[in-house]
Amino acid sequence: MGEELVSKLPISTDHYRGKYVPYCSKAEEVGHFSQDKDWGIFHDRREANVYRPPPSEAGDLALDLYEGCENFHRAGKWPEGGMAPFLQWILRNKAYFDSVGEHSAGPTPLHVDFVAARNTLTKTICAPYDRHAFFSPRPWCLNVWRCNGTIFMSAGRRPDEPQDRQFNGETEEEKKWTSTGYRFEHYMTNPAQGSVGERQCNDASGYYVIFKRTIGKHTLLLKGEMDAEMDGGASSKQTSGKSYVELKTTDIRNLRDARRKKSFHEHDLRRMWAQCVTAGVSRAVVGFRDRQRVVREIKQYNVEEIPELPECALSWQPSVALGFLEDVLTWLSQHVEESSSPAFMYKVKFEAPFEQLTLSREPLPADHGYSYTVHPTFVDAMTTWMSGRSAQTAVDISR
């Protein structure tokens, strides 16, 4: 059996414009893990960073993003999908989910409707306005699976994308450019644990937070990489745990040129807001760099206030973005069926002419590895857990 179309969901900004913003609870932090430069997973805070920007006088800021770029570390093969550490965290923390069940009988064993990486929600939130962007929207797909009542979602790979992320043909200039975002993070942060000495820039290490929240009528367990936490660990209105910061860089012309500034508010800030709001991140910090990749100015944005900025309010509305996300979650709840065996999967696709989302059911490829949403070993472990039989606390789902 090949691909089978299950349903379509039209994308419209007019349908949601001016309507209420769906209820979004605070992001409740329930766990974390660290990933090192060689993709090693550790259930601790060793890769967490604290936001501590360098002191500077007005007009003398000069953060060279190319400094140390020759030592930028590439981690090699990219573990596609990235769900394995998240699933491992779930299996390691069965006691947490069992304790939740003692206090509130949820509809599923995990007591959530969805398990997903936050980037899957970001893609969905951005879709209604991406289809109207002056540039050609980038197509994407999500892998979807229903296991024991909970729907799992992860970023998928389109047929025209390479199976592995390889850098063999990368030029030195391309490598330098890639390193700039990571270098900016080093300028703006200190490690939360350990020494503050020289750190090697790399594209693999990160600190990931697991959090729960409700959007509309749907409860979600989400994973998100956090650039830094506020010094002192103060909480925010958006989260019941620590207050986090998102760090970005962009061209300084987006701040000084009127036409580019309009585009920055209409597209870049909208995407930044979408990425932050899904995870309850309270603050976004943007470094504006010149053509020599030197940051000359830094601006902070309160995430809650971004949609209220005049340039943003004229071009997009939170009610459209979050209203569409709520409808997508409802749509998936209605059409994604339970699977007791890893024989097939669902895919959500956003493709040209970008007027709808499609949901299809496809056979699971024989070479799936753990690049798809739910690895067979995870399904077996969940089934054993839910049936009340003993299961190992740590299950290897990485191969």
Side-chain angles (χ1 to χ4, degrees):
M1 183 184 72
E3 177 180 345
E4 172 190 353
L5 180 64
V6 176
S7 182
K8 301 176 182 179
L9 182 67
I11 302 175
S12 170
T13 54
D14 294 337
H15 178 71
Y16 304 98
R17 187 174 290 117
K19 293 188 176 181
Y20 74 98
V21 177
Y23 168 72
C24 295
S25 68
K26 284 187 175 183
E28 176 192 355
E29 186 173 333
V30 298
H32 56 260
F33 64 85
S34 294
Q35 181 172 282
D36 70 10
K37 65 182 181 64
D38 298 312
W39 307 112
I41 302 300
F42 303 90
H43 295 271
D44 55 32
R45 286 170 44 81
R46 69 182 65 189
E47 297 294 342
N49 291 317
V50 175
Y51 177 66
R52 286 181 187 150
S56 64
E57 299 296 331
D60 71 347
L61 185 67
L63 305 181
D64 185 357
L65 300 182
Y66 277 166
E67 182 179 328
C69 64
E70 64 277 3
N71 297 319
F72 180 61
H73 174 74
R74 281 292 200 191
K77 182 179 178 181
W78 192 283
E80 185 189 13
M83 286 293 283
F86 194 4
L87 303 183
Q88 287 177 340
W89 182 91
I90 291 174
L91 293 176
R92 287 178 61 95
N93 290 274
K94 292 179 292 183
Y96 162 76
F97 295 101
D98 290 339
S99 67
V100 172
E102 293 175 0
H103 297 91
S104 61
T108 71
L110 296 181
H111 311 289
V112 294
D113 302 312
F114 290 86
V115 170
R118 73 164 174 172
N119 67 330
T120 62
L121 301 192
T122 302
K123 292 175 185 291
T124 305
I125 286 177
C126 290
Y129 288 107
D130 280 353
R131 62 185 293 263
H132 293 301
F134 70 92
F135 53 84
S136 178
R138 181 177 298 178
W140 50 258
C141 70
L142 305 178
N143 297 326
V144 183
W145 183 280
R146 195 169 205 148
C147 177
N148 287 289
T150 295
I151 294 176
F152 294 76
M153 298 192 299
S154 70
R157 188 183 77 239
R158 303 190 313 278
D160 59 336
E161 291 180 308
Q163 183 170 355
D164 297 325
R165 183 181 176 185
Q166 301 291 341
F167 306 106
N168 296 334
E170 185 179 51
T171 66
E172 283 301 312
E173 189 62 28
E174 289 171 336
K175 183 178 178 180
K176 285 172 61 178
W177 168 247
T178 302
S179 72
T180 58
Y182 302 101
R183 185 62 184 170
F184 181 65
E185 292 180 11
H186 280 199
Y187 276 125
M188 305 300 290
T189 65
N190 282 341
Q193 299 178 349
S195 65
V196 188
E198 182 65 24
R199 293 177 285 169
Q200 182 186 33
C201 283
N202 68 88
D203 64 345
S205 63
Y207 177 66
Y208 294 83
V209 170
I210 313 298
F211 54 96
K212 287 177 65 176
R213 71 180 316 178
T214 299
I215 298 177
K217 298 180 180 179
H218 309 283
T219 55
L220 302 93
L221 184 71
L222 301 170
K223 176 203 75 171
E225 183 179 3
M226 298 299 166
D227 292 337
E229 61 189 47
M230 291 301 295
D231 196 3
S235 61
S236 70
K237 294 180 180 179
Q238 290 77 31
T239 176
S240 60
K242 296 181 178 65
S243 180
Y244 291 99
V245 181
E246 187 74 23
L247 301 172
K248 300 287 186 184
T249 68
T250 190
D251 197 308
I252 199 167
R253 289 175 292 177
N254 292 334
L255 194 61
R256 298 175 177 175
D257 178 81
R259 182 182 62 83
R260 293 184 64 126
K261 184 177 181 180
K262 180 179 182 297
S263 177
F264 172 71
H265 283 79
E266 185 174 345
H267 303 290
D268 298 61
L269 274 184
R270 173 173 57 84
R271 287 184 169 277
M272 196 183 308
W273 169 83
Q275 186 176 4
C276 292
V277 77
T278 54
V281 174
S282 60
R283 186 181 305 185
V285 177
V286 181
F288 292 87
R289 45 177 164 71
D290 61 20
R291 295 187 178 183
Q292 286 70 47
R293 305 297 184 257
V294 176
V295 172
R296 297 296 182 180
E297 190 167 342
I298 292 175
K299 288 195 68 174
Q300 295 191 21
Y301 295 89
N302 182 316
V303 172
E304 275 194 332
E305 296 174 358
I306 287 177
E308 300 171 8
L309 296 174
E311 298 92 337
C312 295
L314 289 172
S315 56
W316 55 274
Q317 297 178 2
S319 60
V320 174
L322 293 172
F324 180 69
L325 172 61
E326 182 186 25
D327 278 1
V328 170
L329 297 176
T330 300
W331 176 60
L332 293 176
S333 297
Q334 294 171 343
H335 293 287
V336 175
E337 298 179 350
E338 181 81 17
S339 177
S340 57
S341 63
F344 65 88
M345 62 180 295
Y346 289 87
K347 279 203 171 186
V348 176
K349 298 178 182 178
F350 179 62
E351 300 176 319
F354 305 105
E355 297 176 349
Q356 62 188 7
L357 295 184
T358 61
L359 178 67
S360 59
R361 177 170 150 155
E362 305 177 9
L364 195 66
D367 61 345
H368 55 78
Y370 67 93
S371 63
Y372 292 90
T373 303
V374 178
H375 190 278
T377 308
F378 178 81
V379 177
D380 294 340
M382 283 287 291
T383 302
T384 302
W385 176 15
M386 293 306 115
S387 66
R389 295 193 298 270
S390 60
Q392 293 180 351
T393 299
V395 178
D396 185 6
I397 55 174
S398 61
R399 62 177 184 271

